[in-house]
């Protein structure tokens, strides 16, 4: 019985952490076309660009979430962090350097800012071209809604 139960439980737990069919379909559809960031890079969509070189572009997103909000995007389309190759690692370092420099330039380096990258469904990734959010200019509060209670640290009352 134990030999049968273990593989079944393993399969169920793997499926519990899989992406939903609807998300996979949406992701596949979006990956089959140019990303909005590629369209901005190519001049097909307008954007308020605050930085651009031969590898990285940074611009104000359509829907700012803080007074200072920039998306820092590599020219090379990498769908998710999971898709990074070893030869892409310099891009990640460069994105963070640009974020640091923009935070200084726009006056939020000392008061504080958040850097965020979303990967796949549970994190809310909707554009499948990695990008780093630089957020600041107000107190941003907790990263998540704080409803999760870690059973290892939960105290009985």
């Amino acid at each position: 019985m134990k030999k049968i139960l273990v593989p079944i439980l393993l399969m169920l737990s793997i499926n519990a952490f899989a992406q939903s069919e609807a998300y996979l379909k949406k992701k596949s559809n979006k990956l089959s076309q140019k990303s909005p960031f590629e369209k901005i890079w190519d001049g097909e969509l307008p954007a308020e660009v605050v930085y651009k070189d031969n590898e990285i572009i940074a611009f104000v997103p359509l829907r700012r979430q803080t007074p200072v909000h920039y998306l820092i995007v590599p020219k090379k389309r990498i769908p998710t962090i999971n898709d990074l190759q070893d030869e892409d690692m310099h891009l990640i370092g460069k994105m963070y350097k640009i974020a640091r420099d923009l935070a200084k330039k726009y006056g939020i380096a000392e008061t504080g800012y958040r850097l965020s990258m979303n990967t796949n469904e549970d994190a809310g990734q909707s554009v499948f071209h990695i990008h780093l959010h630089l957020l600041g200019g107000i107190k941003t509060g907790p990263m998540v809604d704080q409803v999760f209670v870690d059973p290892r640290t939960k105290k009985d009352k």
Side-chain angles (χ1 to χ4, degrees):
M1 179 74 164
K2 193 176 188 180
K3 289 182 182 182
I4 295 171
L5 192 57
V6 170
I8 291 171
L9 290 173
L10 183 59
M11 286 182 1
L12 288 174
S13 67
I14 289 170
N15 287 335
F17 293 107
Q19 295 173 32
S20 71
E21 286 298 319
Y23 185 81
L24 287 172
K25 185 176 180 180
K26 180 172 112 176
K27 183 177 180 178
S28 176
N29 182 48
K30 288 186 175 191
L31 285 170
S32 70
Q33 36 192 298
K34 227 177 188 183
S35 80
F37 303 153
E38 290 170 304
K39 290 178 182 178
I40 288 170
W41 186 278
D42 292 341
E44 297 170 32
L45 288 176
E48 183 182 334
V49 176
V50 295
Y51 178 89
K52 186 175 182 180
D53 66 19
N54 63 339
E55 294 182 302
I56 306 283
I57 189 169
F59 53 89
V60 177
L62 291 176
R63 290 181 300 274
R64 292 185 316 157
Q65 297 172 14
T66 58
V68 178
H69 186 179
Y70 301 113
L71 299 183
I72 303 162
V73 184
K75 182 177 183 181
K76 179 180 180 182
R77 186 175 190 179
I78 303 164
T80 73
I81 291 296
N82 297 334
D83 300 302
L84 277 172
Q85 302 297 310
D86 288 348
E87 64 267 15
D88 301 324
M89 294 304 161
H90 77 283
L91 291 171
I92 300 301
K94 188 171 183 179
M95 291 167 72
Y96 276 82
K97 178 191 176 299
I98 292 165
R100 177 203 65 195
D101 294 347
L102 290 172
K104 287 179 187 175
K105 180 178 179 178
Y106 291 99
I108 61 171
E110 295 305 316
T111 57
Y113 55 94
R114 174 170 291 150
L115 298 174
S116 175
M117 292 181 113
N118 301 322
T119 301
N120 284 324
E121 187 171 18
D122 283 354
Q125 184 179 8
S126 60
V127 177
F128 300 99
H129 186 147
I130 63 168
H131 53 287
L132 180 65
H133 292 259
L134 168 61
L135 301 145
I138 60 172
K139 289 187 185 285
T140 54
M143 286 283 291
V144 293
D145 61 16
Q146 310 256 331
V147 296
F148 174 75
V149 177
D150 188 340
R152 299 170 303 161
T153 57
K154 184 179 175 186
K155 304 226 186 307
D156 291 330
K157 293 183 178 185

